[in-house]
Amino acid sequence: MELRCPVCGAPLRRRENAFACAAGHSFDLARQGYVNLLTVSQKHSKSPGDTKEQVNARRAFLSAGYYRPIAETLCRLAAPLEPRRIVDAGCGEGYYLDALRQALPQAELLGLDISKEAVRCAAGQYKVPTFLTATAAAMPLFDQSADLILSLFALTAAAEFHRVLTPGGHFLQVLAGEAHLLGLKSIIYPQLFHKEKISHPVLPGFSLAKSETLEFSFTLETQRDVENLLYMTPHVYRISREGLARLRATPRLTDRAQVIFNLYRKE
Ligand SMILES: C[S@@+](CC[C@H](N)C(=O)[O-])C[C@H]1O[C@@H](n2cnc3c(N)ncnc32)[C@H](O)[C@@H]1O
Ligand SMILES: [Zn+2]
């Protein structure tokens, strides 16, 4: 997929260890093989997105296979679309894009994430997809240049996804359902409040072609895995000292995932 300069919008060309546009804006290719296309004005903080600790926890948890049913469902839903160019917006450490690489070897894959730590970890492990540090809200890609955009437990930038998708292209949104990880939540919070979640958001310019809910149980056999799961979720930002102490005293946990797959088609 051709990359677009985040400063002036011109095409970026590969030059030895950098990508540069005709106007001379240049972006180094890191040793691990990723490119940082996040401009200073696109950053809300010095190190936006997931921290190294979160990325390492996600890598350990996902590579243990606990979320394999999510990767399998993703591949099953993506394959019939026969996408040639796939973008994972908020790709984290690259686990799901690697599953798609194996399922769809002909497809061109690009992963982007605002977290440099996540992209560094992804590119260090997986050589084939191209990984970029960039924001999903302003992707360094041209109009109508991707057939499928994914967002797994990450941002939905509907207008931007619409711009980058080809006519008739698809956006696959993967969300946590209301009953996702109730086991973890019941340890963290003294009381569980019922929070209504929108499972099938209306997205301007898209129609919902298909929706599936995946549910499965899994057992974390070590305290380390229990803590890794916490670091994968937004609960890590909300947990109290008492909640963390309870979690650290949990040597083993059986929990249930509830994950919603919404497949949107660009109108
Ligand atoms: C909950 S994680 C999910 C990661 C991955 N999709 C997965 O399921 O393993 C959300 C990811 O979105 C990234 N993120 C947050 N804001 C973003 C933005 N504006 N653009 C791109 N990525 C973003 C975070 O750095 C983080 O890696
Ligand atoms: Zn430029």
Side-chain angles (χ1 to χ4, degrees):
M1 258 167 276
E2 192 171 35
L3 300 177
R4 187 167 94 156
C5 174
V7 180
C8 71
L12 289 177
R13 304 266 178 256
R14 172 90 188 259
R15 287 210 203 119
E16 285 190 15
N17 291 327
F19 280 79
C21 72
H25 304 119
S26 181
F27 306 88
D28 290 345
L29 188 64
R31 189 169 41 83
Q32 295 86 350
Y34 70 91
V35 192
N36 181 3
L37 293 180
L38 198 64
T39 62
V40 173
S41 65
Q42 288 170 338
K43 290 190 192 185
H44 304 298
S45 65
K46 193 167 169 286
S47 309
D50 277 13
T51 60
K52 191 169 187 169
E53 208 172 16
Q54 288 171 290
V55 171
N56 290 342
R58 178 166 290 115
R59 164 62 55 80
F61 184 91
L62 293 173
S63 59
Y66 294 118
Y67 274 7
R68 184 173 307 205
I70 300 177
E72 287 169 355
T73 305
L74 170 71
C75 293
R76 179 171 54 73
L77 290 171
L81 308 173
E82 299 181 351
R84 286 191 300 124
R85 293 156 303 176
I86 304 177
V87 176
D88 188 355
C91 62
E93 54 69 61
Y95 174 76
Y96 296 106
L97 214 45
D98 186 58
L100 276 177
R101 178 188 62 78
Q102 296 175 45
L104 301 169
Q106 308 300 333
E108 192 183 342
L109 306 171
L110 187 137
L112 60 89
D113 199 288
I114 204 166
S115 157
K116 196 169 170 175
E117 294 296 346
V119 171
R120 185 181 286 157
C121 184
Q125 173 91 4
Y126 305 115
K127 294 300 165 207
V128 166
T130 303
F131 289 103
L132 306 173
T133 313
T135 171
M139 299 194 282
L141 297 171
F142 288 92
D143 296 0
Q144 306 190 0
S145 59
D147 307 302
L148 175 63
I149 297 179
L150 315 169
S151 169
L152 292 110
F153 310 106
L155 190 77
T156 288
E160 180 65 353
F161 294 175
H162 194 274
R163 175 184 74 77
V164 169
L165 280 173
T166 46
H170 289 86
F171 164 44
L172 184 54
Q173 179 190 52
V174 180
L175 306 171
E178 274 181 21
H180 188 53
L181 306 181
L182 291 182
L184 179 76
K185 285 189 213 162
S186 65
I187 296 170
I188 301 178
Y189 304 112
Q191 241 184 320
L192 281 184
F193 293 102
H194 179 76
K195 217 172 101 199
E196 197 77 27
K197 281 186 96 170
I198 301 172
S199 312
H200 314 291
V202 173
L203 304 181
F206 289 94
S207 59
L208 185 62
K210 192 186 250 192
S211 181
E212 283 190 23
T213 301
L214 169 72
E215 296 199 27
F216 60 95
S217 297
F218 59 95
T219 298
L220 305 174
E221 299 287 356
T222 67
Q223 201 283 323
R224 181 82 249 166
D225 285 349
V226 175
E227 205 158 321
N228 284 339
L229 177 62
L230 167 73
Y231 274 86
M232 303 230 315
T233 69
H235 306 296
V236 67
Y237 301 114
R238 300 177 203 134
I239 195 166
S240 64
R241 200 177 300 171
E242 297 74 29
L244 192 58
R246 279 195 298 277
L247 198 82
R248 291 204 163 134
T250 305
R252 190 171 182 274
L253 175 68
T254 295
D255 210 340
R256 220 172 147 67
Q258 187 193 54
V259 182
I260 299 166
F261 292 77
N262 291 325
L263 182 66
Y264 292 91
R265 189 172 190 278
K266 176 174 170 173
E267 289 292 299

